[in-house]
């Protein structure tokens, strides 16, 4: 029979281990810091993405490198429109935004698309013509294709798409060739690629891991009208405390096992 003092010593050790485990479990609680890769919500501007002539209005123009985590953004020729689109940051649901570029044309971004429009700031494509002029969709959502290169590897990148209404038109190309325009280490862990067609005004999410660069194709241009798409980029990274908590728990388990082996 165990002595009373031995019982108390063992009880105290068990209580200490439980307390330590409780603290460790608290450290293991997963949490994440989400950062939208956009400037402050009150800023509406054009991003210089290499379209001929530069920004329409230099007083409302920023370089891609001024955005968090973004090294460069390059506008590519969209396979459905045959043009390289401009790229704006636009706050939906408020007032119309007008960018007068003189001989380059004028871009009018309507506050609301036809249908349901979510609020907040979004990346917004605007198609250009051969002479650099814009305005094909008369202010409604338009199409574009862009290559984003980031300053560092992003462990988890969430993409939020607004108003994808056609199939095989939005997401990371090339859809048919199955050779995606993204760094080989990247993996799609939630959502589908290409983004499936949805109802008018729909919002759809993709999440990719280990992204250093990514090409996004937004919408589908047709002879009659366009199916434009706006989007947001969100960096979502687990906190370091998760890893520390797991290490602490493993250490506690190892110490307990060594003590039991010595007594055996």
């Amino acid at each position: 029979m165990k002595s009373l003092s031995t019982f108390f010593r063992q009880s105290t050790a068990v209580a200490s281990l439980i307390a330590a485990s409780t603290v460790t479990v608290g450290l293991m609680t997963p949490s994440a810091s989400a950062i939208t890769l956009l400037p402050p919500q009150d800023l509406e501007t054009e991003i210089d993405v290499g379209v001929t002539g530069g920004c329409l209005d230099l007083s409302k123009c920023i370089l891609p490198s001024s955005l968090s985590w973004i090294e460069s953004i390059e506008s590519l020729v969209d396979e459905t429109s045959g043009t390289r689109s401009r790229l704006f940051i636009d706050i939906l649901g408020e007032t119309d935004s007008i960018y007068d570029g003189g001989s380059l044309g004028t871009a009018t971004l309507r506050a609301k698309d036809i249908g349901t429009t979510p609020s907040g700031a979004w990346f917004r494509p605007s198609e250009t013509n051969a002479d650099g002029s814009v305005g094909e969709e008369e202010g409604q959502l338009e199409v574009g294709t862009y290559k984003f290169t980031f300053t560092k590897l992003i462990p988890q990148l969430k993409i939020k798409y607004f108003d994808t209404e056609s199939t095989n038109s939005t997401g990371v190309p090339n859809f048919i060739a199955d050779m995606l325009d993204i760094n080989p280490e990247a993996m799609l862990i939630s959502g589908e690629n290409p983004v499936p067609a949805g109802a008018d005004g729909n919002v759809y999410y993709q999440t990719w891991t280990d992204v250093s660069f990514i090409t996004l194709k937004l919408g589908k241009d047709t002879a009659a009208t366009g199916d434009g798409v706006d989007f947001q980029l969100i960096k979502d990274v687990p906190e370091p405390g998760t890893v520390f908590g797991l290490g602490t728990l493993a250490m506690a388990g190892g110490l307990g096992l060594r003590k039991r082996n010595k007594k055996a």
Side-chain angles (χ1 to χ4, degrees), residues 1 109 120 144 230 262:
M1 179 180 292
L109 308 180
D230 285 3
K262 286 181 180 179

Side-chain angles (χ1 to χ4, degrees), residues 20-161:
S21 300
T22 303
V23 173
T24 304
V25 170
L27 290 171
M28 289 172 60
T29 302
S31 61
S33 55
I35 301 174
T36 301
L37 306 187
L38 286 167
Q41 292 285 333
D42 60 352
L43 177 65
E44 290 192 318
T45 187
E46 182 177 357
I47 305 171
D48 189 343
V49 290
V51 174
T52 301
C55 290
L56 295 173
D57 184 346
L58 293 180
S59 68
K60 294 186 289 184
C61 176
I62 63 172
L63 295 174
S65 56
S66 66
L67 301 173
S68 297
W69 288 81
I70 296 177
E71 180 178 300
S72 64
I73 307 173
E74 180 185 3
S75 179
L76 307 177
V77 174
D78 185 88
E79 63 180 14
T80 62
S81 70
T83 67
R84 297 169 63 204
S85 298
R86 295 180 178 276
L87 185 61
F88 295 85
I89 295 172
D90 190 54
I91 301 176
L92 299 180
E94 296 188 357
T95 59
D96 294 355
S97 299
I98 300 175
Y99 296 81
D100 188 353
S103 62
L104 292 177
T106 300
T108 300
L109 308 180
R110 300 296 181 194
K112 292 182 178 292
D113 188 48
I114 297 175
T116 304
T117 299
S119 60
W122 297 74
F123 287 108
R124 183 166 179 170
S126 177
E127 298 169 48
T128 64
N129 299 317
D131 61 357
S133 61
V134 294
E136 178 183 344
E137 293 299 321
E138 299 181 349
Q140 302 301 319
L141 302 188
E142 300 180 27
V143 309
T145 299
Y146 308 94
K147 180 178 180 180
F148 285 78
T149 301
F150 301 105
T151 56
K152 298 178 182 179
L153 186 77
I154 297 182
Q156 190 162 296
L157 180 69
K158 182 180 292 183
I159 307 173
K160 183 178 180 180
Y161 300 94

Side-chain angles (χ1 to χ4, degrees), residues 193-207:
N193 190 70
V195 174
D200 185 31
N202 70 87
V203 173
Y204 190 85
Y205 292 90
Q206 285 180 339
T207 302

